[in-house]
Amino acid sequence: MSELRITGISVDLVRWPLKMKRRHGVGDIEGSMPGVIVKISTNAGIVGWGEASPWSVFTGTAEANASAIHLYMRPLVVGADPLKVSTLMRQIEKTIVGHTEGKAAVEMALLDIVGKHLGLPVAQLLGGYYRSEVPLSVSIANPDFEEDCNLAKALVADGVNIFKVKTGFSTHKEDLRRLEWLRANLPATVDLRVDYNQGLDPWNAIRHLKDVEAFRPTFIEQPVKREQRAAMAAITKAIDTPIMADESVFTPTEAIDMVRGEIADLVSIKIMKSGGIARAREIAAIAEAAGITAYGGTMFGPAHGGGDPEHFAWRGILHLHLCHGGRSPEDADRDRQRLDPGSDRCRPRCRSRRRQYTTHQHRPFRVSRPPAVGPTLEGESR
């Protein structure tokens, strides 16, 4: 048994400043985003850091997560062995429902301690790096589209080649105008993705998405509300472009429902919404078993973490075999060819979609390999 013990937890509410307004189908973000910093101290002087970046219209509030950590999670971990991460997280799961960002922050801090104690990057604790760089994607979500146009041009010149266009917050005509400009004015090699963030109504979603397909998006993300899974399934069957589930899949149980209901071709996995790395990997395993490609997504967060608290945690799992190893749609398409097109397991993902997958040259986002996950910040346990 380890002699290492947790002696205290510090929970701080913070606000991360934003450089520009961001508009999404489900809500706007402007000025700053609230977040939570968690510091777990030990009797050996090792400190673990975790971060939570909730969004009130997506998963919950920073205030609720901070309170959950302080009132419900703290009593479970103070005095415990921080090396028993799975045991502690199971106890937390049994004690409080929801508050996934708070759970992810505590797990992140615990893994930070383990990594520092053993002198290993968290990625090594989880099985090793799968790759050392990933392509960088930038969202087009500024309500001032002219600013985004200038940003996109500058980023292309700097080597960025993936843009996710946020839609559903304005009119359908405006969405098409924005997509038309991007497709006409950016290089043909640019990889455009579309994300509605639940912004469409089921009754006209298919008609609108068929218009969007003219601009050759690599995928279309979460067109309708998260609970409208029957509509997601109908859209997935009707649209040639791959459909990605994001808000519809928070938990491993919802991942099973996604597979059974055939509601999507792809799934966005976010550590914050799933409640930590362990839960994210469970979702990835379910998706992989079903032949569904996983996409590593992030939430909003601080600039010191590579732009997002999940940046730290994705260092640990994005480079592992996280459902197709975080692979591209081209990789997943090759897998589909190895499946029997006549089997129910392939339907509807075996429909002819290869034309949607094009090869792009991307600017890589290089991932550093620190001793562990967290940053070193000043603060006292309390």
Side-chain angles (χ1 to χ4, degrees):
M1 179 181 293
S2 167
E3 296 182 359
L4 197 61
R5 289 292 180 271
I6 295 171
T7 57
I9 302 180
S10 171
V11 184
D12 291 294
L13 274 168
V14 295
R15 296 197 73 87
W16 314 122
L18 300 177
K19 290 184 176 181
M20 64 185 73
K21 185 173 182 178
R22 314 303 290 167
R23 182 161 288 176
H24 306 74
V26 74
D28 296 350
I29 301 171
E30 186 175 12
S32 63
M33 277 289 290
V36 180
I37 291 287
V38 176
K39 174 186 175 183
I40 298 182
S41 304
T42 68
N43 58 351
I46 300 173
V47 173
W49 294 94
E51 304 169 11
S53 56
W55 185 18
S56 59
V57 299
F58 190 85
T59 50
T61 66
E63 293 80 3
N65 278 273
S67 296
I69 296 169
H70 179 72
L71 298 175
Y72 294 93
M73 303 182 204
R74 178 199 299 267
L76 298 174
V77 299
V78 172
D81 182 351
L83 303 185
K84 295 184 176 180
V85 179
S86 296
T87 300
L88 290 173
M89 294 310 299
R90 179 61 62 89
Q91 291 173 350
I92 288 172
E93 286 284 353
K94 289 181 178 180
T95 301
I96 184 169
V97 300
H99 303 88
T100 56
E101 298 93 340
K103 292 173 181 176
V106 170
E107 183 202 54
M108 195 183 301
L110 291 172
L111 289 172
D112 192 16
I113 291 171
V114 177
K116 290 172 178 174
H117 177 70
L118 298 177
L120 293 171
V122 169
Q124 297 295 342
L125 302 179
L126 300 174
Y129 285 88
Y130 187 82
R131 61 183 67 188
S132 61
E133 62 183 46
V134 292
L136 177 65
S137 173
V138 175
S139 291
I140 301 295
N142 192 334
D144 185 339
F145 185 57
E146 184 176 351
E147 285 189 16
D148 260 350
C149 293
N150 294 330
L151 174 65
K153 288 179 177 178
L155 289 171
V156 166
D158 197 33
V160 174
N161 208 46
I162 307 177
F163 295 93
K164 182 188 283 189
V165 186
K166 296 293 185 174
T167 51
F169 58 78
S170 185
T171 65
H172 180 53
K173 182 178 179 180
E174 177 63 14
D175 287 340
L176 296 181
R177 184 187 74 82
R178 294 164 69 233
L179 288 167
E180 181 179 25
W181 188 95
L182 292 167
R183 190 50 87 192
N185 290 277
L186 298 183
T189 56
V190 162
D191 180 345
L192 287 183
R193 293 98 182 267
V194 172
D195 185 3
Y196 276 91
N197 286 111
Q198 312 177 75
L200 290 180
D201 293 317
W203 60 271
N204 64 358
I206 292 174
R207 176 165 55 86
H208 284 181
L209 295 180
K210 286 187 174 180
D211 292 339
V212 168
E213 285 194 292
F215 303 103
R216 308 186 309 281
T218 301
F219 61 73
I220 298 171
E221 186 172 351
Q222 196 67 41
V224 296
K225 291 182 173 57
R226 76 175 236 99
E227 67 273 11
Q228 294 172 336
R229 290 177 173 81
M232 285 284 290
I235 291 167
T236 300
K237 290 180 174 66
I239 301 298
D240 286 336
T241 302
I243 301 299
M244 178 181 289
D246 181 5
E247 288 91 333
S248 288
V249 180
F250 275 52
T251 67
T253 300
E254 290 179 341
I256 293 173
D257 292 340
M258 169 189 68
V259 174
R260 287 176 174 168
E262 298 182 328
I263 71 168
D265 304 291
L266 316 169
V267 59
S268 175
I269 301 178
K270 294 175 176 150
I271 292 167
M272 289 292 125
K273 73 173 182 177
S274 62
I277 293 175
R279 283 287 183 258
R281 295 182 80 188
E282 289 175 16
I283 295 171
I286 292 166
E288 180 176 32
I292 296 175
T293 297
Y295 169 99
T298 65
M299 301 287 282
F300 297 90
H304 66 260
D308 192 283
E310 292 195 63
H311 170 77
F312 292 112
W314 278 118
R315 287 175 179 169
I317 64 172
L318 195 61
H319 312 292
L320 299 174
H321 194 81
L322 170 62
C323 186
H324 304 293
R327 298 175 306 167
S328 66
E330 295 94 327
D331 297 323
D333 195 47
R334 285 192 288 272
D335 276 353
R336 290 193 193 98
Q337 296 176 59
R338 291 197 290 269
L339 298 175
D340 175 13
S343 70
D344 289 338
R345 178 170 176 259
C346 293
R347 191 170 46 83
R349 289 181 292 280
C350 284
R351 292 177 289 113
S352 176
R353 295 187 172 184
R354 295 194 63 199
R355 64 181 181 82
Q356 300 294 338
Y357 297 139
T358 56
T359 302
H360 305 280
Q361 297 297 318
H362 304 301
R363 174 187 176 183
F365 180 79
R366 298 189 183 279
V367 180
S368 59
R369 302 191 180 194
V373 151
T376 301
L377 304 176
E378 296 296 327
E380 297 296 327
S381 295
R382 57 180 181 272

